[in-house]
Amino acid sequence: MTQNDAPLQSFPDGQTVLSVRHWDDRLFSFRVTRPRSLRFRSGEFIMIGLPGNNGKPILRAYSIASPFWDEELEFYSIKVRDGPLTSRLQRIMPGESVIVKTKPTGTLVLDALLPGRRLWMISTGTGVAPFASLMREPETYEKFDKVILTQTCRQKSELAYGEDLADGLPDDPLVGEEATRKFVRYATTTREQSEQMGRITSLIETGELFDGLGVAGFDPAVDRVMICGSMALNLDMKKILEDRGFSEGANSKPGEYVVERAFVD
Ligand code: A2P
């Protein structure tokens, strides 16, 4: 242990950083040891952070990007230059510590959805994180015949994390086989030329999304939708779904869609 490690290693609720990957100058992911007492459902979020200068920890809500069965925890984050937490968190190194609280919560869970045939996971930016967990969750494939992940970002480089996960899915020891048959990724950009451009909301309204995937449009009898992105996306998606007869679900009362904000901005 170096001298620099000492104060970091000693704070309460500290978990050791195992690896860090920088996807571009705005995004990074990292893996930490998992607290023994932490139980969570794939798709939930927890509070994580670093000690502040005045002794009070700086904590933010982060979706757990790894599935419930993983022995480690993964998180996916933006880097905000002046952000109280992410300006420092983006510099963490393996061996250092991050505070990880053990009270998971959230509505982007399979339990909050009624049975259905197709699961849509609609995300923008870092909103893909809870779906990184759910796409590696065996129950996702037990409950649905088709699992469609959409991610919309401004630029292509922001899609790399989701692309990497999707590319690795066929080799996943638990879900690989089923995911190969059932999982589809649909990635779009809005401010840089790419194979598929446009906001997901526009692609839904024009029908281009459904034509591109060769599936029928949203139907509350068969489709279940999880939404995780900016407030604006969430509100627009809610309207699209409610106009089509979908009702919002919660842990206490499952429904046809669920929504959660991608927190750190
Ligand atoms: P756009 O470039 O047209 O604003 P941000 O980086 O601002 O969080 O946005 C992430 C992605 O989400 C961008 O591609 C952005 O498109 C898109 N987006 C922002 N607001 C909405 C919305 N209300 N509906 C659909 N997509 C949105």
Side-chain angles (χ1 to χ4, degrees):
M1 190 192 286
T2 67
Q3 251 182 341
N4 284 346
D5 291 335
L8 276 180
Q9 295 290 358
S10 63
F11 58 72
D13 302 321
Q15 294 297 320
T16 308
V17 177
L18 300 168
S19 60
V20 184
R21 187 159 173 190
H22 292 271
W23 296 90
D24 65 9
D25 56 352
R26 290 191 50 242
L27 295 161
F28 69 112
S29 60
F30 56 98
R31 293 179 76 84
V32 303
T33 51
R34 176 170 173 167
R36 273 172 197 273
S37 60
L38 176 62
R39 301 275 176 278
F40 67 96
R41 292 175 295 173
S42 295
E44 287 186 312
F45 65 85
I46 50 176
M47 304 303 289
I48 68 169
L50 291 170
N53 293 331
N54 55 2
K56 255 183 87 186
I58 304 169
L59 298 171
R60 295 287 181 271
Y62 270 80
S63 290
I64 302 171
S66 45
F68 83 93
W69 49 263
D70 200 327
E71 286 169 16
E72 302 170 2
L73 294 179
E74 182 168 316
F75 301 99
Y76 179 51
S77 180
I78 49 167
K79 307 173 187 179
V80 183
R81 191 184 303 182
D82 303 320
L85 179 62
T86 65
S87 60
R88 290 172 54 207
L89 195 59
Q90 65 181 280
R91 296 198 303 268
I92 49 162
M93 306 282 274
E96 295 182 348
S97 288
V98 170
I99 300 169
V100 176
K101 296 291 188 182
T102 51
K103 267 216 190 100
T105 183
T107 53
L108 293 183
V109 289
L110 295 168
D111 293 342
L113 290 175
L114 292 166
R117 289 220 303 275
R118 282 192 308 210
L119 177 64
W120 296 84
M121 304 187 289
I122 310 277
S123 69
T124 58
T126 53
V128 76
F131 303 138
S133 176
L134 283 157
M135 68 197 256
R136 289 178 280 176
E137 157 66 62
E139 199 184 333
T140 302
Y141 301 95
E142 282 159 26
K143 288 192 158 168
F144 294 96
D145 297 337
K146 199 163 185 91
V147 178
I148 302 157
L149 169 69
T150 83
Q151 188 187 12
T152 301
C153 294
R154 296 178 183 203
Q155 274 133 17
K156 278 195 285 190
S157 65
E158 299 170 82
L159 294 168
Y161 178 72
E163 184 177 14
D164 192 71
L165 283 168
D167 286 352
L169 210 48
D171 300 324
D172 186 285
L174 283 188
V175 302
E177 209 172 295
E178 284 221 273
T180 302
R181 284 189 288 118
K182 297 183 173 178
F183 179 84
V184 180
R185 174 173 170 270
Y186 186 91
T188 80
T189 58
T190 50
R191 304 197 191 186
E192 185 184 8
Q193 194 67 39
S194 72
E195 274 168 48
Q196 183 61 61
M197 293 198 62
R199 287 184 167 195
I200 200 68
T201 42
S202 314
L203 296 161
I204 290 169
E205 298 284 17
T206 60
E208 203 176 327
L209 170 67
F210 307 106
D211 293 347
L213 294 173
V215 300
F218 285 149
D219 174 356
V222 297
D223 289 300
R224 299 292 169 259
V225 188
M226 292 177 152
I227 308 160
C228 189
S230 62
M231 193 61 90
L233 167 94
N234 291 358
L235 290 173
D236 288 355
M237 276 303 307
K238 268 169 88 95
K239 177 151 192 340
I240 287 176
L241 291 171
E242 296 203 349
D243 286 351
R244 287 164 175 74
F246 285 71
S247 61
E248 184 168 358
N251 278 291
S252 53
K253 188 176 178 292
E256 283 122 8
Y257 80 92
V258 285
V259 60
E260 202 142 80
R261 213 180 137 221
F263 295 94
V264 181
D265 51 17

